[in-house]
Amino acid sequence: MDSGEQVPRATGMRRCAAEFADGVTARTRLPLDYGVASLGVVDRIIDGLRRGGARRQDVDGPLLGLGAYVGEVLVRQAGAEWVDLAPNHPLRPVFGHPVAVRMPDGRLWNPLGRTVNRFEIGPQESLRTYFLTLHGRRPVRPVRPVRRDCPSDGRATSLC
């Protein structure tokens, strides 16, 4: 998505994230797989933009794509959903745009703005840390490996 385009509505954020991630992975083979660890890759991409001396207005398009990607990680990994903020919503001027993610507990978070902060302020605004410290996300349930020696007739034991 280039910087001349408007910020999409909530329904367009998944597509925005996918277009950005697909483009980056095709060019660089960076592991943008929507996992929590990939947010560290996003941090490094932003560090590269900063080291290159880019001005904010020069990287609005990439920052939008990165912010959409961060939001989509919240959707997929934390149970959030993209939402449109009403024109009179009190957080809209704070967020600076009409979209947010709503966590399972109802809290609204601003991944697009947080990504801009990461670019403008630096590493102390880590996006990986942002995810790990968010309130309101669903608990991460560890995936238990399937045991091959468990009975298949429905008589599960406490170890299966």
Side-chain angles (χ1 to χ4, degrees):
M1 172 164 274
D2 65 54
S3 60
E5 294 184 39
Q6 290 188 359
V7 175
R9 297 181 54 85
T11 56
M13 294 308 290
R14 177 171 280 206
R15 180 181 53 80
C16 179
E19 287 174 0
F20 181 81
D22 291 348
V24 168
T25 56
R27 285 189 310 275
T28 64
R29 298 188 190 268
L30 290 172
L32 295 180
D33 60 3
Y34 299 96
V36 176
S38 72
L39 295 176
V41 174
V42 172
D43 281 333
R44 288 190 297 280
I45 291 170
I46 294 172
D47 287 340
L49 294 173
R50 289 170 51 86
R51 272 193 302 276
R55 295 174 307 164
R56 158 80 190 283
Q57 61 268 28
D58 296 335
V59 293
D60 277 345
L63 290 177
L64 174 62
L66 287 162
Y69 178 83
V70 171
E72 194 59 24
V73 171
L74 296 175
V75 168
R76 296 180 187 202
Q77 301 297 326
E81 65 178 329
W82 287 105
V83 295
D84 291 310
L85 299 175
N88 60 347
H89 193 285
L91 287 176
R92 191 167 174 166
V94 175
F95 283 13
H97 46 75
V99 295
V101 293
R102 179 181 295 128
M103 301 303 280
D105 72 350
R107 296 178 204 213
L108 295 173
W109 295 97
N110 182 11
L112 299 180
R114 190 61 183 240
T115 302
V116 170
N117 288 350
R118 176 64 173 85
F119 176 77
E120 291 181 340
I121 298 170
Q124 61 269 35
E125 293 292 318
S126 166
L127 295 165
R128 184 172 181 280
T129 302
Y130 172 61
F131 176 88
L132 295 173
T133 59
L134 277 179
H135 297 284
R137 60 188 162 102
R138 71 175 176 226
V140 177
R141 294 190 181 115
V143 177
R144 290 178 29 180
V146 176
R147 293 198 38 183
R148 304 272 182 229
D149 59 342
C150 290
S152 60
D153 60 4
R155 297 179 295 128
T157 68
S158 62
L159 297 176
C160 294

